[in-house]
Amino acid sequence: ERSRIVAPDSAIGPLDEVETDTFTAVPTLEVPLRTGGSVSLDWTLSSDKSQYRNQSDEFSGSQPGITFEQPLLRGAGLDYNEASIVIAEANLGEQRSQAQVAVINELVQSETAYWNLYRSWKVLQVNLGLYATARDLLENQRRQTELMNSSVANVYNFEVALAVSAETVLQSELEFRRAVRTLKVVIQNPDLELEAGLTLMPTTEPRLVGYEFDAEKLVQFAMRNRAELLELEYERVRSSIEVLMRDNETLPQLDLLASWNLNGFTDASNSYWRATEDFGDEPDGWMVG
């Protein structure tokens, strides 16, 4: 900081002015402490030059020092000052749990969509086979009627059965198209347009495998790895830490302050080196509060 002050001065005689040039620089390094306090290292360099009626008075100062500040009640302690880190870790764990749930749900939806497509396709194939069988039976019944081996009523019955089978095929095809559309939505492939005529065909066949589970071990594993339970656990940790922080913030404000510095002065302006050499000639400064 540099400044110049011009002020009037009236002694015995005419009014005159006093011109004062000052310069102050305080480079500081502040180190925060895990206990909530801080240690500051600074070095104050200052110079002052005053001119009055062709007379000048000047000096320079060099004052390195250290300042210590430590809360004793409110805001004190490792637990309080590291609580924000613990809360941030809890938030990260909660977000990871939510992401894990989202990934698992997406995998389940993908798996379900594929096997729904497989089921719809197989049902459609079965209903197409039944429709073909109903059509063949109707044609056979018509031939038998022409040969006078059956009645017209039987033909009507088989025509009704064919109509029902045709309706079932249409419903199965509609269900299959819905399954294809659902799988396209899950896949999220830009090359597979929802409204396009491209049909997805299932090629992976189901493989039925028998398992024997250790029920107790399975339950324990599930309890340790259930993402929603992990999310609740992280939320509980964060809430507990916040309660402890609020309790600490209700304490009175009581801080310990202490500082110590060396003093060096010289009657030459801007001669900080000479002022530094004068450390041993001046008493030290200190403060405790």
Side-chain angles (χ1 to χ4, degrees):
E1 178 183 356
R2 178 178 291 276
S3 65
R4 171 174 292 178
I5 299 176
V6 180
D9 187 9
S10 177
I12 299 176
L15 184 66
D16 206 342
E17 64 184 22
V18 177
E19 183 176 307
T20 303
D21 291 318
T22 61
F23 170 78
T24 303
V26 188
T28 304
L29 174 63
E30 183 172 353
V31 181
L33 302 177
R34 296 176 61 187
T35 57
S38 63
V39 174
S40 299
L41 304 176
D42 62 82
W43 196 308
T44 302
L45 301 175
S46 60
S47 63
D48 188 284
K49 183 177 181 180
S50 299
Q51 293 182 347
Y52 174 69
R53 293 183 180 179
N54 297 325
Q55 296 180 0
S56 63
D57 185 16
E58 55 186 348
F59 80 93
S60 297
S62 178
Q63 298 171 283
I66 181 172
T67 302
F68 171 73
E69 180 178 357
Q70 174 60 51
L72 299 179
L73 294 178
R74 185 192 307 173
L78 295 176
D79 293 340
Y80 178 83
N81 290 279
E82 294 181 354
S84 58
I85 300 177
V86 178
I87 291 177
E89 292 177 347
N91 290 334
L92 177 61
E94 186 176 352
Q95 295 300 320
R96 284 178 174 174
S97 300
Q98 293 176 358
Q100 182 178 350
V101 171
V103 171
I104 293 175
N105 290 337
E106 192 66 26
L107 292 176
V108 171
Q109 291 179 6
S110 302
E111 191 81 6
T112 304
Y114 176 81
W115 291 115
N116 283 338
L117 175 64
Y118 180 87
R119 177 186 59 81
S120 301
W121 171 249
K122 288 301 181 180
V123 170
L124 177 60
Q125 297 302 312
V126 171
N127 289 332
L128 285 174
L130 293 176
Y131 174 78
T133 301
R135 183 182 56 191
D136 293 341
L137 291 175
L138 176 61
E139 294 297 330
N140 180 63
Q141 192 67 31
R142 285 175 177 173
R143 288 193 298 270
Q144 294 296 327
T145 302
E146 291 175 356
L147 296 174
M148 306 299 292
N149 293 329
S150 181
S151 64
V152 178
N154 290 331
V155 174
Y156 291 156
N157 291 334
F158 280 101
E159 287 179 348
V160 171
L162 181 63
V164 172
S165 180
E167 182 181 3
T168 303
V169 169
L170 292 177
Q171 294 295 332
S172 300
E173 184 178 1
L174 179 60
E175 184 65 25
F176 174 71
R177 293 182 181 275
R178 289 174 178 171
V180 170
R181 183 182 180 89
T182 300
L183 186 58
K184 286 182 179 180
V185 172
V186 173
I187 293 176
Q188 291 291 318
N189 190 335
D191 296 333
L192 299 178
E193 298 181 3
L194 294 180
E195 304 301 332
L198 182 63
T199 299
L200 303 179
M201 302 299 296
T203 58
T204 302
E205 296 290 334
R207 183 167 58 95
L208 302 181
V209 180
Y211 294 97
E212 293 184 3
F213 296 104
D214 186 335
E216 182 177 356
K217 183 180 295 185
L218 182 63
V219 170
Q220 293 176 355
F221 180 82
M223 294 298 291
R224 289 195 306 267
N225 293 275
R226 284 183 59 182
E228 64 273 19
L229 294 182
L230 291 176
E231 181 179 350
L232 292 175
E233 183 67 20
Y234 283 120
E235 183 178 354
R236 186 187 66 82
V237 171
R238 185 185 67 244
S239 300
S240 300
I241 296 298
E242 289 177 349
V243 169
L244 294 177
M245 292 180 65
R246 300 294 88 80
D247 287 342
N248 181 276
E249 291 170 0
T250 61
L251 297 176
Q253 184 74 36
L254 180 63
D255 298 343
L256 172 64
L257 303 175
S259 65
W260 174 84
N261 67 280
L262 292 172
N263 293 310
F265 303 101
T266 181
D267 56 1
S269 178
N270 297 328
S271 182
Y272 305 116
W273 179 253
R274 289 178 56 184
T276 302
E277 292 178 339
D278 195 40
F279 282 158
D281 299 333
E282 300 291 342
D284 302 339
W286 59 271
M287 180 275 294
V288 175

